[in-house]
Amino acid sequence: MKKLLIVGVILFFAKSVSQEHFSGINTSQRIGIVNAGINPAELANLSTTFEINIFAASVKASSNKVGFSDLLNSSNLEALQFSGAGASSLSFDGEINGPGIAYKMNNWGFAFTTKAYAKLDVVAVDSQLGTALSQSIANSFLINSSQINSTDNQRLNGTSWGEIGLGAARNLYDDSEHKFNVGVTFKLLFPGSYANFGADKFNGTVNNNLGNLTLTNTFANLNIAYSGNLGDDYSKSSDYFKSLYGKLNGVAADLGANYQWKDTDGQHYKVNVGLALKNIGGMTFKSNNNAATNYTLSIQGSQSLNLNQFQNATSLKEIERLLLASGYLNKTNNDKKDFKVKLPTIFTAYADFKIIPSFYATLYTQQKLKNDADNDQITSQNIVSLTPRYTLKNYEVFLPFSHSEVSGIAGGIGFRAYGFYLGSGSIITALISDTKQADAYFGYGFKLD
């Protein structure tokens, strides 16, 4: 199961340079489509008639074990990822914002957006299990056993999908001091590819006899689900981008509210506050390559499962076939050719405060509302961040500092020149303190009166 649990993840992580995208620029005073991405009510704050998004991309990777320097210097990332005690988690998350347009008309703001997402996650994998499976070759001269008793649902999950958003915001109150908006974005979802392997309540023993790995005295509840390219091969990063947009087969919504306490000049604010519920909904995967099945894995008495046979497996289909051929896998439900996956519903809140003229600071939090352990759930992270920023009309510099539940503390830097922006939420801490997060983003858009 080495390939199943880690190899695709480690390769993808190492190639990328988890999940507040566009950290710092998404609460910029240059209100645009990227701001509406965290709160649709911001569309009513557009400063010009049109906002055109040409392209933007953000990529993030985070781990609770592997540091930034390890990516550059270590030849055994698998061992590092599963080192120490406790569960091991790793996340890769990419977002692409394609062409989009926002339009301001009187007290209304409207937007049409296009986006694509690719995610790959290792969720709460027991470090002893990961070590036993990932180091079978390196420890081929050892004789030992590892007892695994986990109450978590250990998951490997990959998902790609596309999205078209239709947003609208309305200003409800506006005077010389105060402004209040509400907004909504309806999302049309285009599921691309999906793969999930879940091992819930895994209890068993991994035996290493001079490199011959076997599994004995084991019971676990398994979920194996796949659709599209990821059913055939989950270890190739290119497969996550080959089918970002499938057929329309899901809907979701973002809801938001926004308040501003205006500055005396009438052009800026003293405080800008926003609240939003994002990703309320889900999508159904349908393809000729679909399967979603629950099993029990039971290996008792003198029985044993040869784990070395999984070393070269790169697809869930192949893993499933080998497990079924072993005779230790039993179905607990009928195959589902179509299955629904829930988006990562989150609550976001932010407040941007004026400290002195041209200098602001933003507090931001993102809190997930769903359980990442559920097999039909796309994952998310809890995040808190603080972003000091120096803002002029056409230029901006900001320093986002954040804490996420997987990788801990990270700090970065970003800048904006007119409609072009570039930044990272982790580059500073990556260079000075070996953070366990790596990310970068850039984008370009322009305004028209």
Side-chain angles (χ1 to χ4, degrees):
M1 293 184 187
K2 175 183 177 182
K3 292 284 187 182
L4 177 64
L5 291 174
I6 56 172
V7 169
V9 178
I10 295 297
L11 288 176
F12 205 10
F13 183 40
K15 290 178 181 177
S16 71
V17 239
S18 177
Q19 317 299 37
E20 183 194 359
H21 286 287
F22 305 104
S23 178
I25 194 65
N26 56 11
T27 51
S28 169
Q29 285 195 36
R30 186 187 185 276
I31 303 299
I33 289 176
V34 69
N35 303 75
I38 64 168
N39 187 349
E42 290 283 2
L43 288 170
N45 292 327
L46 291 171
S47 58
T48 58
T49 304
F50 292 98
E51 162 82 17
I52 312 295
N53 183 74
I54 302 300
F55 184 82
S58 174
V59 59
K60 307 193 76 169
S62 55
S63 166
N64 65 341
K65 299 291 182 69
V66 177
F68 186 80
S69 64
D70 298 323
L71 293 176
L72 303 177
N73 302 317
S74 178
S75 60
N76 195 351
L77 294 176
E78 298 167 6
L80 290 172
Q81 182 60 41
F82 296 111
S83 63
S88 176
S89 295
L90 184 149
S91 175
F92 172 86
D93 190 0
E95 177 180 332
I96 297 173
N97 292 356
I101 183 171
Y103 172 63
K104 178 73 178 296
M105 182 181 67
N106 298 324
N107 293 323
W108 288 88
F110 302 95
F112 171 84
T113 59
T114 57
K115 296 183 180 182
Y117 299 88
K119 285 178 58 63
L120 182 61
D121 295 280
V122 169
V123 181
V125 173
D126 185 278
S127 292
Q128 292 185 78
L129 178 60
T131 297
L133 295 176
S134 65
Q135 298 188 51
S136 59
I137 302 301
N139 293 335
S140 57
F141 299 105
L142 297 181
I143 299 177
N144 59 27
S145 296
S146 299
Q147 181 67 37
I148 311 299
N149 294 293
S150 175
T151 59
D152 296 320
N153 185 24
Q154 304 174 64
R155 297 178 65 199
L156 170 68
N157 181 265
T159 316
S160 66
W161 75 98
E163 172 186 300
I164 291 177
L166 304 171
R170 166 73 177 178
N171 172 244
L172 300 181
Y173 182 84
D174 191 358
D175 63 17
S176 60
E177 289 189 86
H178 308 285
K179 184 178 183 181
F180 181 73
N181 311 319
V182 294
V184 60
T185 295
F186 293 104
K187 302 178 180 182
L188 305 177
L189 305 178
F190 300 81
S193 296
Y194 183 79
N196 186 78
F197 182 91
D200 189 27
K201 296 179 175 59
F202 185 99
N203 291 276
T205 303
V206 178
N207 306 288
N208 185 353
N209 185 8
L210 301 178
N212 295 315
L213 281 182
T214 58
L215 191 61
T216 58
N217 299 318
T218 299
F219 182 86
N221 297 310
L222 303 185
N223 173 265
I224 301 176
Y226 47 82
S227 179
N229 292 337
L230 295 185
D232 295 321
D233 194 332
Y234 51 77
S235 66
K236 293 181 180 179
S237 59
S238 60
D239 284 341
Y240 287 78
F241 298 96
K242 284 181 179 178
S243 57
L244 287 175
Y245 272 82
K247 295 181 180 179
L248 174 62
N249 218 334
V251 294
D254 296 345
L255 306 175
N258 169 253
Y259 164 77
Q260 287 188 359
W261 179 17
K262 296 181 181 180
D263 207 345
T264 54
D265 61 8
Q267 302 297 317
H268 301 88
Y269 53 73
K270 296 178 181 178
V271 180
N272 184 45
V273 178
L275 304 172
L277 286 175
K278 294 185 56 184
N279 298 326
I280 307 168
M283 53 192 168
T284 299
F285 283 85
K286 295 183 178 182
S287 81
N288 295 330
N289 200 31
N290 264 31
T293 311
N294 292 324
Y295 298 97
T296 57
L297 175 67
S298 181
I299 307 169
Q300 304 301 323
S302 61
Q303 298 173 332
S304 65
L305 175 65
N306 176 18
L307 296 180
N308 294 86
Q309 64 183 314
F310 300 101
Q311 286 295 317
N312 296 317
T314 59
S315 75
L316 288 183
K317 281 184 179 180
E318 187 176 0
I319 295 291
E320 187 175 35
R321 179 184 62 79
L322 291 171
L323 286 172
L324 287 169
S326 73
Y328 303 134
L329 205 60
N330 300 296
K331 285 186 181 181
T332 58
N333 74 318
N334 295 324
D335 293 345
K336 296 180 181 179
K337 292 301 180 183
D338 301 333
F339 55 90
K340 187 173 182 179
V341 174
K342 294 177 287 188
L343 290 190
T345 305
I346 58 174
F347 167 77
T348 66
Y350 58 89
D352 191 32
F353 298 91
K354 175 185 175 182
I355 308 300
I356 58 176
S358 299
F359 186 78
Y360 291 76
T362 305
L363 290 171
Y364 172 88
T365 184
Q366 169 182 304
Q367 300 295 313
K368 60 187 177 185
L369 302 180
K370 298 293 182 66
N371 187 354
D372 287 347
D374 294 343
N375 284 311
D376 60 351
Q377 178 64 55
I378 299 174
T379 67
S380 59
Q381 290 190 44
N382 294 329
I383 297 172
V384 177
S385 68
L386 171 65
T387 304
R389 68 180 73 247
Y390 179 72
T391 300
L392 299 175
K393 180 179 179 180
N394 296 320
Y395 302 95
E396 190 171 357
V397 178
F398 40 89
L399 299 169
F401 292 90
S402 65
H403 181 277
S404 67
E405 63 176 309
V406 171
S407 56
I409 295 174
I413 188 171
F415 74 91
R416 173 183 64 84
Y418 291 87
F420 175 78
Y421 50 89
L422 175 69
S424 167
S426 61
I427 187 63
I428 292 178
T429 47
L431 295 176
I432 66 175
S433 66
D434 196 27
T435 183
K436 293 180 174 60
Q437 175 177 306
D439 72 286
Y441 62 83
F442 71 95
Y444 176 71
F446 61 91
K447 293 179 177 289
L448 294 174
D449 287 322

